[in-house]
Every structure is written in C-alpha cells, then in structure tokens.
Amino acid sequence: MQRTASFDLDKFKLIAGDLSLEFVNTVSGYLRELEAEGRGQAIRGDKFLEYSDLLAWALKNDIVDEDDALALLKRSQREPAAAKSVLKQAVKFRGALYRIFRSMIVSAKPAAGDLDVLNAEILRARRHQRLIGRGRRLEAVWDTPDTDLGRPLWPVAVAAGRLLTSDSVSRIKECGGDSCGWLFVDESRGGNRHWCDMRDCGNVAKVRRFRRKNRGAE
C-alpha cells in the first residue's frame, strides 16, 4: 500500500498520460446519463473531500515532495477557512476542465464560463513561475520555497493549457466503461484504446459481453 507518514496515495490511480487529465480523474466516475437528462454534471465518489486529499494527489503526481506537502498541511490546519476555499476552487476548476476536455472530444465549442475559469487559473499559475539558467538553456521553475495553499493547482493549469493547444488534444478520449468517464490521451499505435484501464473497465466489459453471449446461446 502506497502511504507516507500523513498521506494515503492509494486512492488515486494514474492512467491518463497528462497531469491535467489525471486531475479531472479524481472522481470515481462521471454519470453521463444524468448529465444527458439535463440534471447537470453528476459524479460519484469524489476523492477531494479534504484539503489533505488534494495534497495527497499532488504528492502522488510529484507536484510537491513530502516535506512541501507536510508544510502545506500544517498551514492548512492553521488556516482551515483558507484551505476549504482552495479545495472549493479545485473542485470548480476540475469541473470546468472536464467540460472543456469533453467538448474537445465531441468537437463542440467550450462554454465561455469554463474557459474563464481555466484562464484565471493559468494567470494565477504564471505569476508563480520564473525562468532560470540551466547551462545554455532556460528552464521555467516555480517559486520556492512557497507555502501558498493553491500551489498544487498551478502545474495543472499550465499542463491543461499546453495539452489543449497541442496536437495531442485530438487524442483525448473518454473511457467507455459504464459510469466511468475518465479521460486519457490515447497513445496506442492504432489509436484504438477504449478503456481507462483494461484491468478495470475493460475486464468488466468483457465479462458483460461474455454473459450476454451465453444468455443468447441459451
């Protein structure tokens, strides 16, 4: 079991191939049938229940190291209202990203309000980046040390902007599993990946096909 002293990393599974999509996948699933009925975006199993969950996810994705995560956790405990506000911001950002990425998948125009949320996060993140020299090259780094509670969201915003303006945006897909809806970049040779993970949604689909086939044979 993957744990650190204060964080349980096992609740998060990384399958997407891009940081911003991993961020979107911090729910157990998106209930597309409810959304299709006009009941708004519905999710099951939100994995961001506490600010510490956001830190655990950031730690699993190497956004912060354990020392940074512990420093942010201590600050969140001193400033619970601020931590709650950042968690609310993270959930709002995640929802906007999910809808933007899905609009890309179905070749629809993203909602202006969702783009406003994304652009605000990108601007906030860029304020905390600077260029430094690495030999003959320049490298963008984050301000350090930094105990801003919103720090885990900065790389997500930058990654989302990069993915949405790259050729890889055409390879974003949605898992075909019932009540899953996780997103991923399809890097398969034939571009025919259907599942977030063959061992999960893929195996469930195989079992269901097998049972339907047997019932038909009977």
Side-chain angles (χ1 to χ4, degrees):
M1 182 172 291
Q2 190 176 8
R3 291 180 180 271
T4 68
S6 302
F7 305 101
D8 179 5
L9 278 59
D10 284 334
K11 67 190 297 184
F12 301 107
K13 187 174 182 179
L14 308 183
I15 60 89
D18 184 88
L19 180 65
S20 58
L21 297 180
E22 302 291 9
F23 183 70
V24 166
N25 293 345
T26 53
V27 300
S28 295
Y30 289 93
L31 306 179
R32 289 161 296 188
E33 63 275 12
L34 298 183
E35 190 172 348
E37 295 171 4
R39 296 165 63 178
Q41 182 180 321
I43 65 173
R44 62 182 181 86
D46 194 338
K47 298 180 181 182
F48 283 166
L49 300 178
E50 305 287 343
Y51 180 77
S52 59
D53 296 328
L54 178 60
L55 290 179
W57 178 84
L59 187 57
K60 177 134 186 174
N61 283 274
D62 297 321
I63 292 174
V64 296
D65 60 26
E66 188 164 4
D67 288 341
D68 291 333
L70 288 172
L72 288 166
L73 179 63
K74 290 178 181 177
R75 181 171 181 181
S76 74
Q77 292 167 344
R78 294 193 304 268
E79 305 175 26
K84 184 177 180 180
S85 178
V86 170
L87 183 64
K88 184 177 180 180
Q89 173 190 342
V91 171
K92 179 181 179 180
F93 182 29
R94 181 183 65 193
L97 275 184
Y98 170 74
R99 291 186 294 272
I100 291 171
F101 284 129
R102 282 220 65 223
S103 71
M104 296 293 102
I105 293 172
V106 301
S107 300
K109 184 178 180 180
D114 290 334
L115 289 177
D116 288 343
V117 171
L118 172 57
N119 282 321
E121 293 295 337
I122 291 175
L123 287 174
R124 186 177 291 111
R126 292 299 189 188
R127 288 200 296 268
H128 295 276
Q129 271 193 324
R130 58 192 175 89
L131 295 176
I132 63 171
R134 295 286 194 194
R136 296 183 179 182
R137 302 179 60 185
L138 294 179
E139 181 180 337
V141 299
W142 301 106
D143 292 338
T144 55
D146 200 316
T147 55
D148 189 309
L149 293 175
R151 180 178 175 183
L153 302 181
W154 303 340
V156 177
V158 172
R162 183 184 305 119
L163 177 58
L164 286 164
T165 55
S166 72
D167 292 339
S168 295
V169 70
S170 64
R171 296 200 296 272
I172 299 174
K173 289 188 178 179
E174 182 177 29
C175 178
D178 292 341
S179 300
C180 179
W182 276 13
L183 306 182
F184 55 87
V185 178
D186 184 0
E187 299 286 2
S188 64
R189 180 174 298 179
N192 56 1
R193 178 180 170 187
H194 299 294
W195 316 108
C196 60
D197 192 325
M198 191 60 205
R199 293 168 297 181
D200 293 330
C201 290
N203 277 341
V204 169
K206 285 174 62 178
V207 169
R208 287 178 177 171
R209 286 197 300 269
F210 177 78
R211 288 175 177 172
R212 285 197 297 268
K213 183 178 180 180
N214 283 352
R215 283 197 298 268
E218 292 173 358

